[in-house]
Structures are given as C-alpha cells and as structure tokens.
Amino acid sequence: MQGTAKLLSSTHPALHLSHPTLESFIWNTLMRAHVQSKTRPVSPTHCPLSIFLRMRFHGVRPDFHTFPFLLQSFSYPSYLHSGLCIHAQIVQFGFPCDPFVQTSLINMYSSCGNLGFAQQVFNEIPQPDLPSWNSIINANVKMGLVNVEKRSHCLGRCKNWKLDDVRPNEFTMSVVLSACGRLGALEHGKWAHAYIDRCGMEVDAVLGTSLIYMYAKCGGIDRARWVFNKLRSNNDVMAWSAMISGLGMHGHYEECLDLFSKMMSHGVRPNAVTFLGVICACVHGGLVSQGKDYFNRMSEDFGISPSIQHYGCMVDLYGRAGLIDEAWDVIKSMPMEPDVLVWGALLSGSRMRGDIETCEVALKKLIELEPTNSGAYVLLSNVYAKMGRWKDVRHVRDLMEDKRD
DNA sequence: ATAGGGTTAG
C-alpha cells in the first residue's frame, strides 16, 4: 500500500489525490514569498499558517507543493503543536509518502527540537533518498549539541553508514565535519577528510569552512591553516571567520588579528560571527583596548548590532582585566536581558578582583535565572560569610534546601 | 509556472 503511494508520488505527481491547479499554485506562491523573505510577517494574518487556513476556508485543496512551504515556517519549538496538526492534515490529504514532504517533516520536527518525531518520519521511509538522509543526520547532530549521550552514537551512525545506493555528498560531509568539530573527534574528522578526497569531492568554501572548523576545534591548527591556504576562493566570509576564530582559540592573537586585516584588504565584509571571533581572541589575549575598538567598529562601520554573545564577550574582556565598572557599563547598555553567560562573566571578573559586592549581585541574578544551580548558592553563602552576614548565610542555605527536589 | 538537505560563534 505504502509502496504504491510512494510510486505514485515520486513518479507520477499528476496522479496525486490533489492535482496542482492555478488556484493552489497562487496560494503556494504566496506562502513561499513569506517563507523566503525571512522577515517577520507584518501581521499574524500574513504568516504561512494563516495563509494556509484561508486557502482551506476558500475551499482550495492543497497539492504536493503546499506542505514543504508551510512546514518551513515552523522552525521553533513553539511551533511543534502546529506542525503536528499539519502532519495530520498531510496524512488526510494523502501526501505522507511524498519524499519532499517527508524531508520537510523531518526538518520541521528537528527545528522544533523533537528528534523523536523526526526519527519516526525517517523510519517510515522504506528507501530514504539523499536529502532525507542528510536531514536526519543533521537532526541527530543538532540534538547532539544538547544531548551529550547521543553525541558519540550519532557519529558512529554516520561512519557505519550502510548506503547501498545513496552515497554521502558535500551536504552530508559538511554536517559530519561540523559534528566532529563540536565533539573534538579528530580521528573521525580525519577519516571524513580522507573520504572527501577519496570520492574526489571538490573542497569548496563550504566544505573548506567545515574542515577548518573541525581541525581548529580538534587541536589541529596547522592542518586548519593548510586547508585555508589551499582554498581556491578567498572571498568567503565564513571560511575566513572559521580560520580567524580558530587562531584566536589557539592563542595566536597576533596572527588572528592580522588575518582579520588581511580579510578586510581582500574586500571581504566581516559579519557578526567574524567579530565575535576577533573579540574573543582579544579576551583571551587580554587586549582590552583593541577588543573595545573592534566592538565599536562593528556597529559604527559595519552596521552590525551586537548580539548577547558580543556583550558577554565585552563583560568578560573588562572583567578579566579587573575593570568592573566598565563591565557594569556594558551590562547597563544592553538592550536585552543579560543571560547566565553575561552574569557568569561578571562573576568571574569580580571574584578575581575580590569585589564582593559585585559578586553578590551577579550570584543573585544567576540564582534568579537558574534556581536549581546549587553552585551559585554555595558561592553566595561564602560571600555572606566573608562579610559576616550570618543571617544571610543561613537564609541562602535554607533557599538551597527548598529548591532541592 | 511552485517543492526537500550544508559551513563559521555558543
């Protein structure tokens, strides 16, 4: 039964339960416009989901192009419920075996943070094609970022791939290399590199970026440099950024900043990630005034507004240099609520400095944001003990006991 | 006439 449906969907699209019509084409195109513009819809009535609802209200049947567009707009955990409802509709309208729809479903569940559902869709594909494989691998890797136990399982799965007729391509390998980098799995990464060479895949900017990132994260900065220097195109901001961050990571601050200047003289426009790499390098190298310069130039000369990570780096930069007032100024200037990384940076700066009052504030904020983090309670009660505020010491200990489940 | 998969930071 399933085989028949698949045959129809992949070889004779016209035999679908719903044929493409001029009407469905127009609604699909409208949805695509909103998905591709990537800007926030002007109002909730313009989002692909409400376009779909209006399409149904007008009695227009969706066709097999409709759902990939619609599913692409569900890319956050909060959309999981909508995604599930649309999945049910997909079954009702008879498209659950369309390979495009299946891949879109895997990506939707993966973007919504639900690997289980993504895996379930994948498992129901009798003969997954390459995009489906790449999507499920990507989903596993993404979750590997969150779920530590799954990480090594995921890599093993890539390596022992039984691909009878579907072979990994550049898309696959870039995901695999990125996973190796995150894991610090140098041996797996080298294997992947050798595989790329053996298959005769061209190391373009994307694969090059992945290779540089992998080697840099795995401690092979020389190999990263080698890959970078061999790249044919030298105008890809991501490849430059990967190399710049890699050098910073390894403590080659001068080379890192030189490379940044070199990139600019090549006419490559830095982006938010490039600046993060450069500023992080300044943090580790203790280059306060240079870090501050880069931070200012980023918005003044390039119109890039700093993200919470950039602010976190700046707090870290000043904190490590013992400049607690400056670190506070950064926090006060932030247009968003500081997160645990920002308060953590302020905490470590103020601890180094012996600034007990700032420690107290930072720890209180950390406890507010992470009430189950017992480490912060312990540090805070130590702070109070140092100040001789014994009542507060007892109060914090009681609070910690309360939060324990 | 329209459709699915990739890289840099954290």
Side-chain angles (χ1 to χ4, degrees), chain A residues 81-385:
Chain A
H81 182 72
S82 308
L84 282 162
C85 295
I86 295 302
H87 193 165
Q89 297 255 307
I90 286 169
V91 176
Q92 276 183 358
F93 282 108
F95 302 116
C97 301
D98 183 286
F100 284 77
V101 171
Q102 284 167 322
T103 304
S104 303
L105 279 169
I106 293 170
N107 291 328
M108 181 272 290
Y109 284 128
S110 155
S111 315
C112 292
N114 195 313
L115 179 60
F117 287 145
Q119 194 69 55
Q120 208 170 313
V121 173
F122 182 80
N123 292 346
E124 283 166 10
I125 307 176
Q127 299 239 292
D129 63 5
L130 194 47
S132 309
W133 270 108
N134 289 344
S135 294
I136 195 64
I137 289 175
N138 199 10
N140 276 276
V141 169
K142 251 191 227 166
M143 288 302 120
L145 198 68
V146 182
N147 184 338
V148 181
E149 300 83 56
K150 279 255 160 140
R151 289 179 170 188
S152 48
H153 164 76
C154 158
L155 268 186
R157 174 194 197 105
C158 299
K159 211 170 162 181
N160 300 318
W161 215 355
K162 300 255 188 308
L163 288 161
D164 303 322
D165 47 3
V166 186
R167 304 195 65 80
N169 64 358
E170 290 84 350
F171 283 69
T172 326
M173 297 317 289
S174 55
V175 175
V176 170
L177 284 169
S178 163
C180 294
R182 265 177 234 167
L183 294 163
L186 182 60
E187 289 311 310
H188 291 272
K190 280 186 186 166
W191 166 83
H193 192 175
Y195 186 89
I196 287 169
D197 286 343
R198 197 159 9 107
C199 297
M201 287 182 196
E202 193 207 339
V203 178
D204 62 359
V206 174
L207 268 187
T209 302
S210 311
L211 280 168
I212 293 164
Y213 170 75
M214 182 276 291
Y215 280 128
K217 286 291 263 221
C218 296
I221 194 71
D222 293 333
R223 281 170 193 264
R225 255 196 225 100
W226 185 81
V227 172
F228 180 74
N229 291 329
K230 265 191 74 174
L231 278 185
R232 294 167 114 235
S233 62
N234 56 6
N235 56 1
D236 186 87
V237 66
M238 289 173 88
W240 283 91
S241 304
M243 194 65 231
I244 287 170
S245 310
L247 288 168
M249 242 181 260
H250 284 266
H252 302 277
Y253 314 118
E254 237 170 73
E255 193 184 349
C256 165
L257 302 183
D258 282 349
L259 196 65
F260 181 77
S261 321
K262 210 169 153 193
M263 176 180 125
M264 303 272 270
S265 59
H266 270 78
V268 180
R269 199 183 164 79
N271 63 19
V273 179
T274 324
F275 275 108
L276 199 59
V278 172
I279 298 170
C280 281
C282 293
V283 171
H284 296 297
L287 313 170
V288 179
S289 66
Q290 291 181 68
K292 190 181 159 196
D293 270 359
Y294 286 118
F295 182 78
N296 292 333
R297 277 171 69 195
M298 174 169 83
S299 45
E300 284 164 14
D301 300 348
F302 295 92
I304 301 168
S305 31
S307 71
I308 196 157
Q309 284 100 327
H310 295 97
Y311 287 110
C313 266
M314 290 307 289
V315 173
D316 209 6
L317 180 73
Y318 288 127
R320 285 175 195 238
L323 302 168
I324 304 300
D325 289 342
E326 282 81 351
W328 264 124
D329 289 342
V330 174
I331 293 181
K332 283 178 200 147
S333 73
M334 290 173 62
M336 67 286 271
E337 283 299 311
D339 62 3
V340 288
L341 294 173
V342 174
W343 291 120
L346 185 69
L347 172 67
S348 58
S350 50
R351 283 186 77 190
M352 257 186 274
R353 198 86 227 276
D355 181 339
I356 266 185
E357 284 78 17
T358 308
C359 281
E360 184 193 350
V361 181
L363 284 166
K364 277 182 166 170
K365 291 287 187 184
L366 281 170
I367 289 172
E368 216 175 287
L369 291 170
E370 284 186 336
T372 54
N373 178 357
S374 53
Y377 293 94
V378 174
L379 288 175
L380 186 59
S381 70
N382 291 347
V383 164
Y384 287 139

